[in-house]
Amino acid sequence: MSGTGQGAFIAAVKPLVDAMGGEMVPPDEAGPDDVVLSWEGAAAVAVRLPQLADSLDHILAALERRRGVPLAELDRKAKQEIVRSLEARGAFAVRHGVETVASALGVSRFTVYNYLNREKGA
């Protein structure tokens, strides 16, 4: 990774890759499913995207860190907001998404479905 420009570019995209739960690897180690990012005409870094299920776990952990308490300790309104936010991000299209979210929130799958249906009916 030569040059300060390329290093600065890699430093700039790192927070995004971290937020997605991805991994940065050297471009020459990129696999067929990795995304190679170029800077000033040269491959700078490859991004290995997470599996969707891993990404959901990463998102839930980030939400917990941001709120500073286990998600299961939040009140009902906060849990409903999280479910809305996760639905907007496609979390429930992931296999076992409802179960994963229910477990993180300390509620039943039925409760998560109620939160989802409440939004559609409102």
Side-chain angles (χ1 to χ4, degrees):
M1 296 185 205
S2 61
T4 57
Q6 197 176 61
F9 171 72
I10 292 169
V13 298
K14 186 175 183 338
L16 176 61
V17 173
D18 289 347
M20 295 183 322
E23 177 185 357
M24 297 172 82
V25 297
D28 59 345
E29 294 178 19
D33 294 329
D34 296 338
V35 179
V36 177
L37 302 178
S38 295
W39 181 254
E40 297 178 347
V45 67
V47 178
R48 185 158 294 149
L49 299 172
Q51 297 297 312
L52 287 175
D54 294 339
S55 189
L56 179 55
D57 288 337
H58 189 81
I59 291 167
L60 288 165
L63 284 169
E64 195 164 273
R65 278 193 308 276
R66 196 172 309 137
R67 294 194 179 245
V69 296
L71 297 179
E73 293 180 11
L74 297 173
D75 65 21
R76 184 173 52 95
K77 184 171 187 251
K79 290 177 182 181
Q80 288 171 333
E81 290 170 5
I82 286 173
V83 167
R84 270 196 303 276
S85 169
L86 292 171
E87 182 181 30
R89 294 173 81 171
F92 302 109
V94 175
R95 186 167 187 231
H96 302 299
V98 170
E99 292 87 346
T100 300
V101 171
S103 176
L105 294 178
V107 299
S108 69
R109 288 181 352 203
F110 180 75
T111 297
V112 172
Y113 284 119
N114 278 342
Y115 292 168
L116 291 168
N117 290 333
R118 179 178 207 167
E119 286 307 304
K120 289 176 177 48

